[in-house]
């Protein structure tokens, strides 16, 4: 299945934990794992504590290691100014897999699933969700 979110771009971080949990519930699964994959080369997925400090720290980290003002051959080719976005997204990665049991994601207390949009403009992001597991019994 799919879910979609709208981002502001520029390291916008969106908590998709609730949407992922609802997908599992709606699909009627009891236990297994869910693959979460963002389609697109300038966004990525991971888990983080979704709190105001880290929502600043995480983008600041990427700005230090892959500055938006850096020189990127991608920009020379396409002239769209998002070379840094592609490099950041490839470093982070487009997918994660999360286990669940009794229909509940097995995340830590302070751990949420996030999409981070590294592109330099707002985007609609399509996220593919695939479940492997055992359906709820009808007993």
């Amino acid at each position: 299945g799919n879910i979609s979110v709208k981002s502001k771009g520029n390291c916008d971080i969106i908590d998709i934990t609730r949407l992922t949990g609802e997908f599992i519930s709606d699909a009627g699964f009891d236990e297994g794992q869910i693959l979460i994959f963002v389609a697109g080369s300038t966004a990525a997925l991971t888990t983080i504590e979704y709190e105001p400090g880290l929502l600043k720290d995480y983008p600041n980290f990427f700005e230090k290691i892959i500055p938006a003002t850096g020189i990127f051959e991608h920009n020379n080719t396409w002239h769209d100014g998002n070379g840094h976005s592609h490099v950041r997204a490839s470093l982070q990665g487009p997918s994660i897999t999360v286990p669940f049991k009794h229909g509940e994601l097995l995340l830590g207390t302070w751990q949420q699933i996030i999409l981070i949009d590294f592109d330099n403009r707002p985007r609609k992001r399509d996220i593919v969700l695939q479940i492997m597991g055992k359906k709820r019994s009808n007993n």
Side-chain angles (χ1 to χ4, degrees):
N2 287 29
I3 57 174
S4 294
V5 295
K6 289 185 178 175
S7 83
K8 297 175 184 129
N10 296 304
C11 287
D12 189 16
I13 298 174
I14 300 169
D15 183 350
I16 62 167
T17 310
R18 182 184 54 78
L19 293 172
T20 303
E22 288 172 358
F23 183 84
I24 293 168
S25 180
D26 292 348
F29 278 80
D30 181 50
E31 66 178 304
Q33 56 189 355
I34 185 163
L35 169 72
I36 309 153
F37 173 85
V38 61
S41 61
T42 56
L45 295 164
T46 191
T47 62
I48 196 171
E49 181 180 351
Y50 192 81
E51 61 86 22
L54 283 169
L55 295 182
K56 292 177 185 168
D57 292 340
Y58 205 57
N60 289 342
F61 162 76
F62 277 100
E63 187 58 34
K64 285 177 187 165
I65 64 168
I66 306 168
T69 57
I71 298 169
F72 298 92
E73 293 300 320
H74 174 81
N75 296 343
N76 295 335
T77 302
W78 297 102
H79 308 289
D80 54 4
N82 71 351
H84 68 287
S85 309
H86 288 276
V87 176
R88 290 175 181 185
S90 66
L91 179 64
Q92 181 65 61
S95 68
I96 60 171
T97 303
V98 180
F100 62 91
K101 191 167 187 174
H102 305 301
E104 300 289 327
L105 293 162
L106 296 176
L107 295 167
T109 303
W110 308 113
Q111 185 178 29
Q112 287 79 43
I113 302 165
I114 60 146
L115 174 136
I116 183 165
D117 196 331
F118 293 112
D119 214 335
N120 58 358
R121 62 185 175 92
R123 300 288 303 262
K124 176 180 172 258
R125 294 298 184 173
D126 294 319
I127 302 163
V128 177
L129 302 170
Q130 293 184 335
I131 299 174
M132 277 195 338
K134 185 174 78 173
K135 288 245 185 182
R136 286 190 297 260
S137 63
N138 292 329
N139 297 349

